Amino acid sequence: MSDIAALFTWVNIRFLLQGLGMTLLISALAILCSVVLGTVISVMRTSNSRVLRGVATVYIEIFKNTPLLLWIMFTFFVAQLPPIGAAVLAFTLFTSASVAEIVRGGLASVPFGQYEAAKSQGFSTVQTYLLIILPQALRNMVPALLSQFVTTIKDTSYLWGAMALQELMGRGMILMNSYNSTVQIFAIFGIMALIYFVVCFTLSQIVRAYQRRLKEARTA
């Protein structure tokens, strides 16, 4: 027990929390950028233009059927971007395909009469989406977007092995090199797992609470 107790120093805790901060920063930036890009792709996929629909479909199929690690390696080694920029770009490109499907589902939940009403009032296509359709669709997209955020947080663990970026997993691996005891190494794994669990479980509970409120609002 003394070996495990020796791990819980302020230096070690701060070191891991800094890694968690990097994990959350990359995840948040990636999700925000993915929402923007995913929304554009989703609107393109529902467009009347065959070209736009084709481009959006190809994009989604490419990124849904290739591994995330491939794009992390591409942005870092081929595009030669700085680690954080490469990480955010890779996650944005990859996650946008899933977000586009989430947005498409949200757009489909808005009654078609809303589009017709906006058109009859002289709104342009851009105004219709920004002012009328997307605000209504967002309410239905929030649970799925938060779930995607959880997935992104867990997937950042690839970054240490791919580009040695010191997010939570990377900081944990570095910390392991400071200890020789097998018990301490497994304890560090357990601490990292606990941190991931607490963060992701908290977000999952927020999703469930929001879904319950949304269900109650619909039945009221």
Side-chain angles (χ1 to χ4, degrees):
M1 292 299 293
S2 60
D3 288 345
I4 296 177
L7 297 173
F8 292 94
T9 65
W10 171 241
V11 173
N12 288 347
I13 293 172
R14 184 178 62 181
F15 188 71
L16 289 176
L17 290 178
Q18 288 172 342
L20 175 61
M22 179 62 69
T23 291
L24 295 176
L25 174 64
I26 292 172
S27 301
L29 290 175
I31 286 296
L32 288 174
C33 294
S34 296
V35 168
V36 175
L37 181 56
T39 299
V40 172
I41 294 169
S42 182
V43 172
M44 288 171 59
R45 196 169 187 186
T46 58
S47 170
N48 294 325
S49 170
R50 293 180 59 184
V51 174
L52 293 179
R53 289 201 309 272
V55 171
T57 300
V58 169
Y59 181 96
I60 291 172
E61 293 301 324
I62 287 176
F63 285 97
K64 287 189 70 175
N65 293 286
T66 51
L68 170 60
L69 187 57
L70 173 68
W71 299 106
I72 294 174
M73 303 289 279
F74 176 83
T75 56
F76 186 62
F77 290 105
V78 179
Q80 296 186 343
L81 295 174
I84 295 179
V88 172
L89 178 59
F91 274 92
T92 297
L93 293 174
F94 185 82
T95 306
S96 292
S98 298
V99 172
E101 294 294 272
I102 294 172
V103 174
R104 189 160 70 101
L107 294 177
S109 68
V110 179
F112 187 71
Q114 296 290 319
Y115 294 87
E116 295 179 327
K119 186 177 180 180
S120 67
Q121 295 298 316
F123 285 93
S124 66
T125 301
V126 174
Q127 289 174 324
T128 298
Y129 276 102
L130 291 180
L131 301 178
I132 298 176
I133 305 302
L134 287 175
Q136 296 182 66
L138 181 62
R139 180 177 58 184
N140 299 319
M141 293 188 293
V142 167
L145 290 175
L146 286 175
S147 296
Q148 189 62 48
F149 187 32
V150 171
T151 299
T152 302
I153 290 173
K154 293 184 291 184
D155 286 348
T156 56
S157 58
Y158 290 128
L159 296 173
W160 169 249
M163 60 175 70
L165 185 63
Q166 293 185 24
E167 37 65 65
L168 177 57
M169 178 63 73
R171 292 284 177 126
M173 298 298 286
I174 292 172
L175 194 59
M176 287 178 200
N177 292 329
S178 302
Y179 297 92
N180 297 320
S181 169
T182 302
V183 173
Q184 289 175 321
I185 291 174
F186 276 98
I188 293 171
F189 269 120
I191 293 170
M192 287 193 297
L194 179 62
I195 294 173
Y196 277 116
F197 174 79
V198 169
V199 173
C200 295
F201 181 75
T202 301
L203 288 172
S204 298
Q205 290 299 106
I206 293 174
V207 171
R208 294 189 183 100
Y210 184 85
Q211 287 176 322
R212 285 195 300 267
R213 290 181 57 187
L214 194 60
K215 185 177 181 180
E216 290 171 359
R218 287 174 175 172
T219 56

